[in-house]
Amino acid sequence: MNLTEVPFGTYKVLYGDETVEEGMYLGQGGVYTFVMQKDKDGKWQSELFTVTDANSVSILWLIPQYVIMTLGEVMFSVTGLEFSYSQAPVSMKSVIQACFQLTVAFGNVIDIIIVEANIFDSQANEFFLFAGLMFVDMFIFAILAYRYKPNNPNKALEDSTSRPGTPKPESKPTTPKLQNKSDETEESKAKQN
């Protein structure tokens, strides 16, 4: 048995100088087994068996899928990181962002476990499992989002300066107080009378 990788196209099979097969087409991405033998009359008999069908969909169809996935990932990551940064207490901003990235790592671990376990015979069933997990995740996220109360990490600083009874720092004027000379002369005239 000889396993040979060849480009797709139409082939003429020769054995020495003898033609075994003419016009044999091998499609792109296909896997074929070619069997040939001489019959009793010394003529070549051959048959081409298709092990895997040739590609019927162009690989260029992956471009829109990757564009959409990339845009979704950019929107999700930027929004999630901004939300985790804005809602975190001032002293924990880095820790909260690290936890956000850790959730992505946990998701990847779940994905690896499911794929490597080979639970399903069909990859379509595996995709339906992932879609179901995303639906459950979406449901839990909707409940949490409905009950969420936004956090303002700067509120403690604002509250300490605006509470009643809290002394506010007095501002000292930067320029000396100017007096009107005309007021002085009127007062001095009034005193003299």
Side-chain angles (χ1 to χ4, degrees):
M1 180 177 202
N2 185 13
L3 182 64
T4 306
E5 185 175 335
V6 294
F8 69 95
T10 304
Y11 288 89
K12 179 179 184 181
V13 179
L14 301 172
Y15 185 78
D17 293 336
E18 296 179 68
T19 301
V20 177
E21 180 82 27
E22 279 196 60
M24 181 176 66
Y25 178 74
L26 303 177
Q28 183 175 5
V31 178
Y32 304 95
T33 299
F34 181 71
V35 179
M36 60 184 209
Q37 67 178 10
K38 278 192 175 181
D39 61 9
K40 294 176 188 175
D41 301 332
K43 294 177 117 184
W44 285 105
Q45 299 293 322
S46 64
E47 191 166 352
L48 182 68
F49 296 97
T50 302
V51 178
T52 303
D53 289 329
N55 297 340
S56 59
V57 178
S58 172
I59 196 167
L60 296 178
W61 280 106
L62 288 175
I63 292 173
Q65 295 176 38
Y66 274 101
V67 167
I68 291 171
M69 287 188 329
T70 301
L71 291 175
E73 182 67 28
V74 166
M75 286 188 256
F76 172 75
S77 293
V78 170
T79 305
L81 286 170
E82 191 278 331
F83 180 77
S84 64
Y85 185 81
S86 67
Q87 296 299 299
V90 176
S91 63
M92 294 187 67
K93 290 192 182 288
S94 297
V95 173
I96 297 298
Q97 286 195 333
C99 290
F100 176 80
Q101 295 294 344
L102 194 60
T103 60
V104 175
F106 283 140
N108 290 338
V109 168
I110 291 170
D111 184 42
I112 289 170
I113 290 171
I114 290 172
V115 170
E116 294 298 322
N118 289 329
I119 301 169
F120 302 105
D121 294 332
S122 171
Q123 194 174 20
N125 293 335
E126 192 174 289
F127 290 153
F128 284 121
L129 173 67
F130 289 136
L133 288 173
M134 287 300 296
F135 183 77
V136 170
D137 181 50
M138 181 183 67
F139 183 71
I140 293 170
F141 181 76
I143 292 171
L144 294 174
Y146 181 75
R147 297 178 61 200
Y148 182 75
K149 292 181 176 52
N151 178 28
N152 183 359
N154 297 324
K155 188 174 183 182
L157 181 63
E158 292 170 3
D159 286 348
S160 67
T161 58
S162 64
R163 280 193 201 133
T166 305
K168 293 183 181 177
E170 292 183 23
S171 60
K172 296 181 181 177
T174 56
T175 58
K177 188 174 180 182
L178 299 176
Q179 293 182 347
N180 190 347
K181 292 286 184 181
S182 63
D183 291 342
E184 268 185 31
T185 55
E186 289 178 16
E187 286 178 15
S188 59
K189 286 182 187 177
K191 285 183 184 176
Q192 288 176 358
N193 288 337

